[in-house]
């Protein structure tokens, strides 16, 4: 069962459309896997829509009565339209990615990123999303069976959304859907038995806590 969820502040910001794309994808993909957060999002989106509507009403020059009549008429027209073109409601086709001999189906929030190129070192493979958010890097990260990431901490903040498979660290064991936020106060050594695919957002390189070597530096470059 999913234990780690985005905070309400993140869900609210996502509903209001104010998150950067990297975080918005993380929240949206989590909510596809988590009924609790999906329900909260619906409530927050309704709340955001109501607030936007009442704000726009305040700025109406014309009498409110008339504006409200026009809105009711518009809503009635929308609700009565049962002839929507099917392309508007058809789900987008499934997007699979193949990495390290495994095939994964991406959540809808990540489907457009199924053509990414992968960099690998050992059992770790990473594909970076082309989001152009400066130091903030969003990636798909795959770790092969019975492998892991050397002991490290983070200079900034790292969000990990586990998409498939399992991993564990000094804190807990994680299942698909878990939304984990770590910062420089957390040091951990993630390990996976069955292999896993994650979506990660990091705003600074990893900081390895057990020695410095060319291998670790190379791993750090691949992961961040
Ligand atoms: Zn959730």
């Amino acid at each position: 069962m999913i234990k780690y969820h985005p905070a309400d502040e993140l869900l609210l910001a996502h509903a209001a459309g104010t998150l950067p794309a990297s975080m918005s994808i993380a929240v949206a993909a989590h909510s596809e896997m988590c009924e609790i957060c999906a329900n909260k999002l619906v409530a927050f989106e309704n709340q955001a829509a109501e607030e936007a509507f009442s704000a726009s009403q305040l700025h109406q020059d014309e009498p409110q009565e008339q504006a409200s009549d026009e809105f009711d008429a518009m809503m009635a027209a929308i609700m009565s339209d049962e002839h929507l073109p099917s392309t508007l409601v058809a789900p987008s086709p499934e997007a699979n990615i193949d990495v390290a001999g495994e095939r994964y189906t991406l959540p809808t929030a990540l489907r457009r990123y199924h053509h990414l190129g992968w960099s690998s070192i050992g059992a770790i493979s990473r594909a970076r999303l082309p989001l152009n958010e400066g130091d903030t890097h969003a990636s798909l990260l795959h770790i092969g069976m019975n492998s892991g990431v050397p002991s490290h901490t983070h200079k900034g903040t790292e969000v990990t959304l586990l998409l498939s498979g399992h991993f564990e660290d000094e804190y807990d064991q994680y299942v698909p859907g878990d939304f984990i936020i770590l910062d420089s106060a957390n040091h951990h050594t993630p390990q996976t038995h069955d292999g896993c695919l994650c979506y990660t957002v990091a705003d600074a390189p990893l900081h390895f806590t057990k020695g410095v070597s060319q291998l670790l530096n190379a791993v750090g470059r691949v992961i961040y």
Side-chain angles (χ1 to χ4, degrees):
M1 203 174 91
I2 297 175
K3 273 191 283 186
Y4 297 90
H5 307 265
D8 281 359
E9 292 73 33
L10 271 179
L11 292 169
L12 264 170
H14 177 67
T18 57
L19 286 180
S22 55
M23 284 301 289
S24 197
I25 289 168
V27 173
H30 169 84
S31 300
E32 286 179 46
M33 305 165 89
C34 174
E35 205 180 338
I36 298 166
C37 291
N39 288 335
K40 281 188 184 178
L41 260 190
V42 170
F44 290 151
E45 276 162 5
N46 288 341
Q47 188 184 325
E50 269 172 36
E51 280 165 13
F53 178 62
S54 51
S56 75
Q57 268 197 330
L58 286 177
H59 295 109
Q60 283 281 1
D61 291 323
E62 50 201 325
Q64 261 198 23
E65 193 71 18
Q66 190 188 340
S68 155
D69 283 352
E70 278 175 15
F71 180 77
D72 290 345
M74 183 181 82
M75 287 307 290
I78 291 170
M79 304 301 271
S80 71
D81 190 355
E82 287 172 9
H83 307 286
L84 288 175
S86 60
T87 50
L88 282 182
V89 288
S92 53
E94 272 192 7
N96 297 315
I97 53 164
D98 293 296
V99 53
E102 300 284 335
R103 170 160 286 199
Y104 297 95
T105 300
L106 291 174
T108 306
L110 279 159
R111 273 183 194 171
R112 75 174 70 169
Y113 300 109
H114 64 110
H115 292 306
L116 303 175
W118 292 83
S119 310
S120 296
I121 182 161
I124 302 171
S125 305
R126 178 269 282 162
R128 189 175 297 162
L129 276 64
L131 297 180
N132 296 318
E133 291 182 4
D135 288 341
T136 300
H137 294 172
S139 309
L140 291 170
L141 185 67
H142 181 266
I143 302 175
M145 283 168 66
N146 298 316
S147 188
V149 178
S151 181
H152 65 276
T153 182
H154 305 271
K155 285 177 188 156
T157 305
E158 184 199 63
V159 171
T160 300
L161 172 64
L162 182 52
L163 297 173
S164 185
H166 300 80
F167 76 88
E168 60 189 65
D169 64 11
E170 291 85 341
Y171 301 101
D172 215 337
Q173 296 178 318
Y174 306 97
V175 300
D178 272 332
F179 184 103
I180 306 138
I181 298 189
L182 294 174
D183 62 22
S184 55
N186 309 112
H187 133 265
H188 71 155
T189 315
Q191 299 288 326
T192 178
H193 296 297
D194 55 349
C196 64
L197 180 73
C198 300
Y199 171 69
T200 66
V201 181
D203 58 10
L206 276 68
H207 177 68
F208 291 102
T209 43
K210 292 201 176 142
V212 175
S213 71
Q214 284 190 331
L215 177 64
L216 287 182
N217 285 336
V219 169
R221 275 198 301 278
V222 165
I223 292 177
Y224 168 48

